[in-house]
Amino acid sequence: MAEPERTERRLRPAPLLFEPSEAAADPEHFFDLESMEDPGELLERATELTLAFRTAADRATEFQAVAAAQLADPKRFDRLSTADIAQRADWTEDYAKKMVEFGRDLLRGPKHP
C-alpha cells in the first residue's frame, strides 16, 4: 500500500445517500446507478461517488494514522508496540511504523516556513 500523503486542497465529496435496506440487500443495486439511462448522467454521478469514496478513504486513513500514533505514544502507560498496532489493524509491522510516523506528523500540525 502506498504511503499516505496529506493534500492541502480538499474536494467536497458528493453526498453519499443512504439506501433503503431492501435496495442495499440487492447485490446489483449500487446508489441507484444501475437504473440510470443517460450515460452522461451515469458518468457524472459515478464520478461524484468515486471522488466521495476516495475522500472518505483518505480521511479514514488519516484518522487511522492519528490513532496509531496515539496508541504508540511513549508517554502512555498502556502504549502499544508497532507489532501490536499492526495486528489490531491487520497491517504489516513496517506499514504500522509508517502510519505511526504519519500520525505523529498530523498531530504536530502543518509546517510553517
Side-chain angles (χ1 to χ4, degrees):
M1 189 167 195
E3 188 170 332
E5 294 180 1
R6 185 175 186 145
T7 58
E8 293 303 315
R9 193 183 102 201
R10 292 226 186 262
L11 298 174
R12 180 162 292 278
L16 297 178
L17 305 175
F18 291 98
E19 300 184 279
S21 58
E22 62 274 3
D26 179 3
E28 296 299 315
H29 185 83
F30 188 72
F31 289 91
D32 210 27
L33 295 179
E34 72 287 341
S35 69
M36 292 184 170
E37 302 278 333
D38 178 8
E41 183 183 348
L42 176 60
L43 178 61
E44 184 178 335
R45 182 63 180 149
T47 301
E48 289 174 348
L49 287 169
T50 299
L51 292 173
F53 287 128
R54 282 183 191 153
T55 300
D58 289 346
R59 292 286 315 272
T61 300
E62 289 176 356
F63 280 103
Q64 282 183 310
V66 167
Q70 290 171 335
L71 288 169
D73 187 344
K75 295 180 228 155
R76 289 177 61 111
F77 76 93
D78 61 344
R79 73 178 170 270
L80 296 179
S81 69
T82 52
D84 291 332
I85 293 169
Q87 183 177 18
R88 288 178 89 173
D90 197 26
W91 296 333
T92 64
E93 191 170 352
D94 285 341
Y95 187 73
K97 288 176 187 176
K98 290 178 183 179
M99 287 295 279
V100 167
E101 286 305 312
F102 179 48
R104 287 177 178 155
D105 288 345
L106 290 173
L107 289 169
R108 280 192 280 277
K111 295 178 184 174
H112 297 286

